Amino acid sequence: MTTTLTRPTTAPGPGDAAAPRTPTPPTAPTQSSRIAGATTTRHWVPKHDGDIDPAGHLSPEQIDELGRELDALREEILASRGADDAAYIRRIIRIQRTLEASSRVVLLFSLHPGAWIVGTAGLSVAKILENMEIGHNVMHGQWDWMRDPHIHSSSWEWDNAAPAAMWKHSHNELHHTYTNVIGQDEDLGYGILRVDADQPWSPIYLGQPLWNLLNALVFQYSIAFYDLNLVAYLSDPEARTPEARERFRRDAPQVARKIGRHVLRDYVLHPLLSGPSWLTTITANLTANLARNLWTNTVIICGHFPEGVATFATESIEGESRGEWYLRQILGSANLTGSPFFHVMTGNLSHQIEHHMYPDLPSNRYAEIAARVQVIFERYDLPYVTGPLHRQYASVWRKVFRYALPDGAWEDLRTAPVSTLGSGARWVGRAVARAVAG
């Protein structure tokens, strides 16, 4: 199912963009000039015949009231932030750093299989915590209100190949502004996957099941190259404008230096310190980085691409109201169910709906917010897409395979597999023949 809405220049609410270098006291929420004060006309138009508008039963007045309720919830959480929240993030940072340091000490003796297992497991968890619950959320400005210069979006540099400043631009400023808008939100498939019928098909997408797997294996590097806009820059001459060339010359060395520091630490210095355990230390670090990449990719795609998540057309999002902006975040996201430990390990992005609505609220409050949001959704008869990890992950992979094929081919495979495969084989044969002849 797909739907349509407007884009604010920045996502509503403070803290979505990088904060200034000097931490400042929190201010009252502001509203983008691109967001209308009230819903005057409906922007929701299903993009395909037969699609059902999940918010079609709401009047403009009801949409505005929904926006006011969700704003009131936001204001309540903002006003209630305090010592317990500050203690939470400081405790998580302390646990993460202790776990990483102790795991690296254990890996000095990784010739012993037990030490390798314990050290690798601990380092994997430490890397995931730093990436998800700490780095991602600190750089969203969730903890800027503490006015602690060491835990601030303007100063935090995470343990990831993507430099913080580049990631904050592509993620905080672009993705959270254009959430799931076709042609505007490059996070929708990361420029390499077709996950919606409105993304034009080309033969390159036939390989996207493989691209999806490779992307997951090297996810931190994929994100760095994505933030650098590397694929478009190298493959599309029209993308190499003077401004793009200048930006690439400025940003590419930053990415290269950061990747170089990580490689030096994980695959040179730490193995050298391990002496006779140097090779097993390398394999441990490689395994921990791989585990972090696979886990991060899995959580993120399950929050954005499973069945039931809507996408939006660019022309339909101009002039959206505050309530419609919230509806776009609601319908363009999916949650994951699990234990409190599971939620922490996902960086609380298992509450992706709440994160898209309130990206700068402290992540430890998302579970509390989610329970109240569900009550509001039930009252407005709005869908709340959620499910266990395995189900949502399988749903994403079905989409990856379905949209790898031309429109309608997936359904044809299910109803007439033999003839469809035959047609596909003939098409491939003709394509190969043209390539050879050319």
Side-chain angles (χ1 to χ4, degrees):
M1 143 47 233
T2 39
T3 330
T4 21
L5 273 123
T6 75
R7 155 211 191 263
T9 306
T10 57
D16 296 338
R21 277 287 164 191
T22 303
T24 55
T27 57
T30 57
Q31 183 167 291
S32 167
S33 60
R34 295 296 302 275
I35 297 180
T39 306
T40 54
T41 59
R42 292 303 307 276
H43 295 87
W44 294 92
V45 180
K47 295 191 298 183
H48 306 287
D49 290 341
D51 279 356
I52 297 173
D53 178 356
H57 59 285
L58 298 180
S59 67
E61 293 75 19
Q62 286 174 312
I63 293 174
D64 291 342
E65 180 59 30
L66 171 67
R68 285 190 289 270
E69 284 198 51
L70 294 175
D71 272 343
L73 175 56
R74 169 187 170 79
E75 290 300 310
E76 182 183 333
I77 299 299
L78 284 172
S80 67
R81 296 174 302 185
D84 288 346
D85 300 302
Y88 170 81
I89 189 59
R90 290 191 172 108
R91 182 169 64 252
I92 289 292
I93 292 173
R94 185 169 61 251
I95 290 171
Q96 187 277 329
R97 289 176 175 171
T98 301
L99 183 59
E100 178 174 0
S102 58
S103 297
R104 290 192 181 279
V105 170
V106 170
L107 288 174
L108 297 176
F109 310 97
S110 56
L111 271 178
H112 190 285
W116 190 94
I117 293 171
V118 171
T120 303
L123 187 59
S124 299
V125 172
K127 283 177 174 285
I128 289 170
L129 278 175
E130 197 284 332
N131 197 162
M132 305 291 279
E133 181 67 340
I134 302 173
H136 171 274
N137 295 330
V138 169
M139 293 192 301
H140 258 300
Q142 293 182 8
W143 306 100
D144 287 1
W145 58 274
M146 294 165 55
R147 300 193 288 275
D148 182 339
H150 301 295
I151 311 175
H152 198 274
S153 62
S154 65
S155 58
W156 191 273
E157 185 61 66
W158 61 346
D159 184 23
N160 193 288
M166 290 172 55
W167 180 86
K168 285 187 288 188
H169 171 70
S170 65
H171 184 80
N172 294 5
E173 297 176 24
L174 299 183
H175 169 60
H176 277 271
T177 294
Y178 293 94
T179 310
N180 277 25
V181 177
I182 298 289
Q184 301 292 330
D185 182 7
E186 293 298 331
D187 274 23
L188 194 65
Y190 295 108
I192 60 172
L193 300 176
R194 181 177 184 250
V195 293
D196 186 86
D198 277 0
Q199 292 174 282
W201 183 84
S202 71
I204 191 67
Y205 289 119
L206 291 171
Q208 76 174 22
L210 177 60
W211 315 149
N212 191 41
L213 176 60
L214 293 176
N215 182 51
L217 293 173
V218 295
F219 193 57
Q220 69 160 327
Y221 302 109
S222 295
I223 293 299
F225 297 148
Y226 163 75
D227 291 345
L228 194 57
N229 201 27
L230 183 64
V231 174
Y233 186 83
L234 295 179
S235 63
D236 183 5
E238 293 184 4
R240 293 193 288 273
T241 63
E243 296 80 5
R245 289 177 183 274
E246 176 59 31
R247 188 164 54 249
F248 188 82
R249 282 194 292 267
R250 180 194 68 214
D251 293 342
Q254 295 181 45
V255 174
R257 284 194 295 270
K258 194 163 188 198
I259 291 175
R261 288 196 298 271
H262 286 186
V263 169
L264 181 66
R265 179 198 63 195
D266 284 349
Y267 303 118
V268 179
L269 296 181
H270 191 213
L272 283 175
L273 291 174
S274 299
S277 299
W278 67 272
L279 183 58
T280 49
T281 297
I282 288 177
T283 62
N285 286 338
L286 183 64
T287 302
N289 284 324
L290 178 62
R292 188 260 308 274
N293 287 341
L294 289 171
W295 178 255
T296 304
N297 174 265
T298 298
V299 170
I300 290 173
I301 64 176
C302 285
H304 293 83
F305 304 152
E307 297 292 344
V309 170
T311 58
F312 311 87
T314 302
E315 62 272 14
S316 68
I317 65 169
E318 291 301 327
E320 74 181 347
S321 66
R322 178 72 163 179
E324 288 179 307
W325 183 87
Y326 274 124
L327 280 173
R328 179 154 59 88
Q329 311 312 311
I330 291 164
L331 300 178
S333 314
N335 281 12
L336 296 168
T337 56
S339 67
F341 176 73
F342 171 81
H343 293 310
V344 171
M345 290 299 291
T346 68
N348 277 288
L349 293 181
S350 47
H351 301 107
Q352 189 68 240
I353 295 171
E354 290 72 26
H355 175 62
H356 271 159
M357 290 196 299
Y358 306 121
D360 60 343
L361 292 186
S363 60
N364 64 308
R365 306 294 290 274
Y366 282 157
E368 166 196 349
I369 295 169
R372 299 175 63 180
V373 163
Q374 289 183 66
V375 173
I376 295 173
F377 284 14
E378 288 175 7
R379 194 163 67 251
Y380 284 87
D381 194 22
L382 290 170
Y384 190 84
V385 180
T386 188
L389 180 66
H390 68 276
R391 192 176 75 198
Q392 301 295 64
Y393 193 57
S395 173
V396 171
W397 271 101
R398 282 195 297 272
K399 268 190 162 183
V400 168
F401 278 100
R402 178 192 309 147
Y403 291 114
L405 304 174
D407 292 337
W410 181 260
E411 290 72 19
D412 292 343
L413 271 175
R414 298 174 64 184
T415 56
V418 175
S419 61
T420 303
L421 287 172
S423 298
R426 288 190 293 275
W427 180 86
V428 170
R430 290 193 296 270
V432 170
R434 284 195 299 270
V436 171

